[in-house]
């Protein structure tokens, strides 16, 4: 049942192409916290056609963006699709997307560098974030900015 004035836009895809869903039944649940694990999402899409389901099972569509609102849509979630499942609910086919924010960067980012003596914790964070192509740093609060006496590998 459509709620008065509510709108959403779900975009599934990659950097080159994608699929926009804005008229099917969609439910979502997010878990956001401040610990060192990715923010999780479970997005369910009812009665997606066979061709679009096959696109999701392929490796091209690995990103998800969800906007929602009333008169103005706002980005609620952006992340990586980590698992795609198909559920059958009576006569409906329900696609279940399991998503994580920054999942690709957490799995694939590698840092191999040496920081000279006198580097600070802020320098260490900058080097780590630079290796993650899809992640931008949020608010970073470091307790002390004292330079380290020795280099760090």
């Amino acid at each position: 049942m459509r709620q008065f004035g509510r709108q959403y836009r779900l975009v599934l895809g990659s950097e080159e192409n994608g699929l926009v869903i804005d008229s099917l039944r969609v439910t979502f649940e997010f878990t956001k916290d401040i610990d060192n694990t990715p923010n999780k999402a479970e997005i369910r899409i009812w009665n997606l056609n066979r061709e679009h389901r096959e696109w999701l099972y392929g490796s091209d569509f690995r990103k998800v963006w969800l906007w929602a609102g009333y008169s103005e849509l706002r980005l609620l979630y952006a992340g990586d699709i980590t698992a795609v499942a198909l559920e059958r609910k009576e006569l409906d086919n329900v696609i279940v997307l399991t998503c994580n924010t920054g999942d690709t960067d957490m799995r694939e980012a590698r840092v191999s560098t040496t920081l000279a003596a006198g580097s600070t914790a802020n320098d260490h964070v900058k080097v780590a974030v630079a290796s993650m192509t899809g992640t931008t740093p949020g608010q970073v609060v470091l307790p002390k900015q004292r330079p380290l006496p020795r280099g760090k590998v």
Side-chain angles (χ1 to χ4, degrees):
M1 180 167 104
R2 289 185 69 84
Q3 298 291 323
F4 179 74
R6 289 187 188 173
Q7 303 173 39
Y8 76 93
R9 180 178 302 128
L10 178 64
V11 178
L12 309 169
S14 62
E15 301 301 327
E16 293 82 31
N17 58 20
L19 170 66
V20 176
I21 298 171
D22 58 5
S23 60
L24 297 175
R25 180 178 175 202
V26 171
T27 63
F28 52 89
E29 183 177 340
F30 305 137
T31 304
K32 292 191 172 198
D33 49 30
I34 59 170
D35 65 0
N36 60 355
T37 59
N39 295 323
K40 296 173 178 36
E42 185 175 272
I43 301 171
R44 295 174 181 270
I45 308 165
W46 270 255
N47 297 322
L48 196 61
N49 69 34
R50 182 181 303 269
E51 180 184 3
H52 294 154
R53 286 195 311 255
E54 289 173 5
W55 287 352
L56 285 173
Y57 287 124
S59 62
D60 290 344
F61 282 25
R62 296 286 90 189
K63 300 272 187 200
V64 60
W65 296 269
L66 177 68
W67 288 269
Y70 288 93
S71 61
E72 178 182 333
L73 296 180
R74 295 179 187 257
L75 182 65
L76 296 181
Y77 189 84
D80 300 317
I81 300 171
T82 56
V84 179
L86 177 64
E87 290 181 354
R88 189 86 170 144
K89 299 238 180 180
E90 297 175 5
L91 297 177
D92 296 326
N93 290 318
V94 182
I95 291 288
V96 180
L97 303 175
T98 305
C99 310
N100 290 315
T101 56
D103 185 67
T104 303
D105 281 343
M106 286 190 68
R107 284 185 291 110
E108 296 177 2
R110 301 288 181 262
V111 176
S112 178
T113 189
T114 302
L115 296 169
S119 63
T120 64
N122 196 30
D123 297 330
H124 298 197
V125 170
K126 285 180 183 176
V127 168
V129 170
S131 69
M132 299 179 190
T133 58
T135 302
T136 56
Q139 181 179 1
V140 179
V141 179
L142 300 170
K144 295 181 182 178
Q145 284 297 321
R146 61 179 176 82
L148 298 177
R150 294 185 292 274
K152 193 150 192 131
V153 176

